[in-house]
Amino acid sequence: MSLSVIKFSSEECGICHKMSFYDKKVVEELGLLFIDVKMQDTATYRQYRKILLSQYPDKSQMGWPTYIICDSPEAEFQIIGEVKGGHPKGEFRSRIQEVLDSTAANQN
């Protein structure tokens, strides 16, 4: 399993910008691939849109930013979990780790 964390954010979002100081580093420290998708970057957004829309068909319940933990985002993807909104660095790490732990528990 090759897990990725896809960050869906907006260039106008202050919380998204604040999270960018450590989110990629935390994700990579946990051994995951980080994919940054800004809604204004139409080419990148189009590439990962199907993943976001499978979780949020009308985008109404998504947070800013929304981090979707996903297996095989370039192929037949499977969404493992998500973290929504802004969090301090330690809490962000804990929330990502909780998703990973619940995935590992479900595989055993």
Side-chain angles (χ1 to χ4, degrees):
M1 188 177 332
S2 60
L3 294 179
S4 299
V5 175
I6 306 169
K7 175 185 182 182
F8 291 94
S9 65
S10 170
E11 291 174 3
E12 288 95 43
C13 170
I15 294 171
C16 301
H17 179 69
K18 186 175 163 189
M19 295 285 294
S20 70
F21 287 104
Y22 52 82
D23 57 7
K24 180 177 192 221
K25 185 174 192 283
V26 167
V27 166
E28 290 176 346
E29 285 172 358
L30 292 171
L32 308 172
L33 180 66
F34 184 82
I35 301 168
D36 193 4
V37 178
K38 298 232 181 338
M39 302 304 260
Q40 294 83 352
D41 179 353
T42 52
T44 306
Y45 172 68
R46 205 171 287 130
Q47 185 177 355
Y48 296 100
R49 189 183 119 172
K50 65 184 182 290
I51 296 170
L52 179 65
L53 294 180
S54 73
Q55 194 79 341
Y56 299 102
D58 63 2
K59 298 185 204 161
S60 68
Q61 300 297 315
M62 67 181 284
W64 291 101
T66 291
Y67 298 87
I68 296 180
I69 297 97
C70 184
D71 185 26
S72 306
E74 311 295 336
E76 295 297 317
F77 66 91
Q78 178 184 2
I79 294 174
I80 306 301
E82 68 181 352
V83 174
K84 294 195 296 190
H87 305 283
K89 185 176 182 180
E91 185 178 337
F92 177 67
R93 177 188 300 276
S94 298
R95 287 176 179 248
I96 297 284
Q97 190 64 57
E98 283 172 20
V99 172
L100 298 176
D101 291 347
S102 69
T103 302
N106 290 337
Q107 290 179 344
N108 294 335

